[in-house]
Amino acid sequence: MSFTLWFTGLSGAGKSSISARVYEEMIKCNFAVELLDGDIIRTNFAQDLTFSKEHRDINVKRIGFISKLLNKHGVISIVAMISPYAEVREQNRQTIGNYIEVFVECPLDVLKKRDTKGLYGKAEKGLIKNFTGISDPYELPTQPEVVVRTDHESLEESVAIVMDYLKENNYI
């Protein structure tokens, strides 16, 4: 069975790290799976887009469409991207069908302390415009299938929570 596992959360919460490990686990089990990381997709396919709400929505919908195509051909899609707006995440849920939302939760104060690139600091000084969580909103998921809390869990624990959900619900 193919499905889309959609990791959402603020910058630095752990979406890329957790999704990459889940991807590795699924590869070990010989699943047909593809990892779509928002940063990599933006660099390679969305250079024409800014960080405006309209362009963020376009980017999230594009990746949703790619995920649907992958699923149609029997490939599990793992997506890691901020996807800050609830309405577009819900549109993807409806469009894709077999959609599992994973909220990678971490408080803003912890993210600011973790911020190795200094992005949050730059955003607070106004040097980065439309930065999610600072000068642009992040709409919290209201009913994600899975929640991991990276301020309390290790990477291994968060990966185990996601994998356990997939096993318990007969996705894998």
Side-chain angles (χ1 to χ4, degrees), residues 8-16 18 104-106 111 114 120 150-151:
T8 180
L10 288 170
S11 179
K15 298 175 300 299
S16 293
I18 298 166
V104 183
E105 186 176 2
C106 189
L111 295 173
R114 280 186 192 169
Y120 282 98
T150 60
D151 59 324

Side-chain angles (χ1 to χ4, degrees), residues 75-91:
V75 178
I76 297 165
S77 175
I78 300 175
V79 177
M81 68 182 309
I82 294 171
S83 20
Y85 306 113
E87 181 180 353
V88 179
R89 291 193 307 263
E90 186 56 32
Q91 287 173 5

